[in-house]
Amino acid sequence: MPESVPSVPYVPSPRHPAHALDRAFLGMERRHPGARWDAGGVAYLSGPPPSLADLRAYVAFRLPQLPLLTSRVEGGRRRPRWRTDTDFAVDRHVHEVVADGPEEWDQALHTAINAPFAPGTYWGVWLVHGHAPDRYAVCYRFHHACQDGAAAAMTFRTMLGEGEPSARPVPGKVRRTDLPRRVGMAVGLAVKFASASLVGRGPRPAVAPFVPTGERRLWRGRVPAGELRRIGAARGGSAHDVHLAALAGALAAWSARSGVPLPRVTALVPVDARRPDEDQTWGNRCFALPLELPVRTGPQDTDASRGERGEQGGQGSDAPLWRVDRVMARTRKLRGEAWRQAIQDLVRYMPDRPTEWYLRRVISPRVTDVMATSMPLADKGSLGETQVTATALLPLLVPGHLFGVGLSFFDTWAEVSFLADRALPLGESLPGLWERAVAELDGDPGRRPEVPKTRH
């Protein structure tokens, strides 16, 4: 690592207008000052941890490749723009949390996850160590008005990865003769998505399942990534489809165990809408779509019957694969180039006020219950001589949602992370239930995946 902190050169950047999505997140922060509007991730590393001074030097060394991180929003509410921050200081962004021995590891990690940003900053890095001489973690968090998940994954690859390109799908080049079709599809999708957000949600629990404490907790699980891909490919779907089907199965089992009725669960699924030349952008370029999860396996599968039939949520022998088919039926169009192009056009050209209205509407707990995202990170990663051994996403935890769930693909693993308020009943059981649901999709409901546990 560099021995001293190099200064970050001030290079005047073009004035990038803040996107409507950025303004929507900033507006939600103003409306809900007590809520957190940040997301991020955790990298777990093997080897001796660096000193705080060395980590600050390393981050500063990488920052010229990430101009977004040295920018800030200026200009007030009417015409905010991204501009280079002339007062940028690495010390205000990179911090340290030291655990007092192995038994204090969880508390140290959750201190980093819940720590407020320094005044005037949009992101932060926390070095978490002290529980073991040869293991540590680096927690990166960002305000969602600053970045979205795809840009954060690129930040991971720049800071800790080996520079692998993102595996995200992007629409191909479109000819001018296709413009009328593109306009028609984009307008049609805008009407469809707006109408879907206005439809009544149906029955909801009469009493909230818990009283939020404002303190977030992280719970993790993992399965081989090849297992998800193989299950999805066998039915013509993707690893993300399998993840969502397993999430539905895990929620059915969690509902039976916790006694929290889930007559209907809708996940908010981010969709990357970047153009091929927009790997790193100022602000957000992701759209969000509601997707109803097949938690119930049929009209006869009531909450009461699920409780009577045990912890697997009353799932019959065909229920797991039925869930995959239901998820695929709802995501099939998203895998097509036409829909991806239309969503890209919506994000790029839809007027500000409809964009802000839609995001506020679709993110509301009246419309969606959980945030569910997935992201390919890298094949490997390192910091100095230490190697990244595992990762966990920190998805956005929306006020009123049950939890946020993220699936990260790193090395040969698919790693699931649940971020929820610590008051969520039996929240710690969700990763194991998800792992078990994946095993059921693979045709072995009695198998619990035997994988190396990387929890520090």
Side-chain angles (χ1 to χ4, degrees):
M1 293 186 190
E3 295 182 357
S4 60
V5 179
S7 61
V8 178
Y10 170 58
V11 180
S13 63
R15 296 179 178 180
H16 299 270
H19 194 273
L21 294 169
D22 310 340
R23 291 195 289 275
F25 278 113
L26 290 170
M28 285 187 288
E29 182 182 38
R30 287 190 293 267
R31 292 184 182 89
H32 305 278
R36 297 177 181 271
W37 297 100
D38 61 277
V42 181
Y44 300 84
L45 298 98
S46 63
S51 67
L52 178 59
D54 279 347
L55 182 60
R56 285 173 170 169
Y58 180 84
V59 170
F61 179 73
R62 293 291 190 181
L63 281 176
Q65 301 172 57
L66 298 164
L68 169 64
L69 296 188
T70 54
S71 302
R72 62 181 297 110
V73 176
E74 296 179 351
R77 298 182 60 178
R78 288 183 175 273
R79 301 186 65 182
R81 291 179 177 272
W82 286 97
R83 298 179 182 175
T84 300
D85 184 359
T86 57
D87 297 322
F88 180 86
V90 171
D91 293 5
R92 298 175 63 235
H93 293 78
V94 183
H95 316 281
E96 181 180 38
V97 181
V98 181
D100 186 14
E103 65 282 355
E104 296 297 326
W105 162 251
D106 284 343
Q107 183 57 46
L109 179 63
H110 289 122
T111 295
I113 291 173
N114 289 286
F117 293 136
T121 64
Y122 293 94
W123 61 273
V125 171
W126 283 263
L127 171 65
V128 189
H129 66 98
H131 63 294
D134 59 349
R135 290 183 293 175
Y136 68 101
V138 174
C139 175
Y140 170 64
R141 291 170 36 224
F142 57 90
H143 193 295
H144 225 302
C146 169
Q147 277 187 320
D148 55 32
M154 190 267 205
T155 300
F156 174 94
R157 286 188 289 274
T158 301
M159 290 284 188
L160 298 176
E162 304 295 334
E164 298 96 339
S166 171
R168 63 184 177 84
V170 295
K173 293 184 178 180
V174 182
R175 297 170 297 181
R176 289 183 178 274
T177 54
D178 292 333
L179 289 178
R181 178 187 60 80
R182 284 174 55 183
V183 170
M185 179 163 282
V187 172
L189 283 185
V191 174
K192 176 183 176 68
F193 298 151
S195 300
S197 72
L198 293 171
V199 174
R201 285 288 316 277
R204 292 175 60 86
V207 180
F210 63 94
V211 177
T213 66
E215 188 176 349
R216 298 177 293 184
R217 285 289 184 267
L218 173 66
W219 300 291
R220 301 164 49 221
R222 63 176 358 193
V223 298
E227 186 174 357
L228 291 187
R229 296 187 180 109
R230 175 171 47 78
I231 297 170
R235 303 187 76 81
S238 67
H240 186 61
D241 294 330
V242 178
H243 161 57
L244 291 175
L247 176 61
L251 278 167
W254 176 82
S255 176
R257 287 185 173 191
S258 66
V260 177
L262 295 177
R264 183 175 180 179
V265 178
T266 303
L268 188 63
V269 180
V271 178
D272 189 1
R274 279 173 173 72
R275 301 192 304 272
D277 60 341
E278 285 185 326
D279 267 345
Q280 179 72 307
T281 58
W282 276 255
N284 287 262
R285 292 297 185 278
C286 280
F287 204 63
L289 302 178
L291 186 147
E292 187 174 346
L293 295 177
V295 173
R296 297 174 62 184
T297 57
Q300 76 286 353
D301 191 21
T302 63
D303 292 317
S305 65
R306 284 205 303 271
E308 292 171 357
R309 285 177 285 190
E311 65 181 13
Q312 294 187 38
Q315 299 172 16
S317 59
D318 296 330
L321 294 180
W322 177 87
R323 286 192 172 104
V324 176
D325 293 338
R326 286 294 298 271
V327 169
M328 286 174 50
R330 294 165 181 171
T331 63
R332 186 172 292 114
K333 289 185 177 180
L334 288 178
R335 294 192 294 271
E337 189 168 305
W339 264 50
R340 284 196 168 272
Q341 181 65 65
I343 290 173
Q344 186 186 94
D345 291 337
L346 276 178
V347 170
R348 189 175 183 185
Y349 298 116
M350 193 159 73
D352 288 357
R353 288 188 178 181
T355 299
E356 294 181 46
W357 175 86
Y358 173 78
L359 182 61
R360 289 197 306 269
R361 178 72 190 177
V362 78
I363 212 170
S364 165
R366 296 186 181 91
V367 178
T368 51
D369 302 280
V370 301
M371 173 72 74
T373 186
S374 66
M375 187 59 58
L377 290 180
D379 292 333
K380 54 185 177 180
S382 61
L383 200 165
E385 298 298 321
T386 62
Q387 300 297 313
V388 179
T389 60
T391 59
L393 298 185
L394 300 175
L396 181 66
L397 182 56
V398 178
H401 279 195
L402 287 173
F403 53 78
V405 56
L407 185 71
S408 58
F409 293 91
F410 177 78
D411 192 17
T412 60
W413 297 104
E415 311 207 48
V416 70
S417 54
F418 290 86
L419 189 70
D421 191 278
R422 67 177 175 86
L424 180 73
L426 298 179
E428 68 280 359
S429 69
L430 287 167
L433 294 174
W434 180 88
E435 290 175 351
R436 181 191 210 150
V438 172
E440 291 173 346
L441 293 171
D442 205 18
D444 190 356
R447 176 176 65 86
R448 174 76 178 271
E450 295 296 334
V451 297
K453 295 302 179 184
T454 60
R455 299 172 178 86
H456 291 347

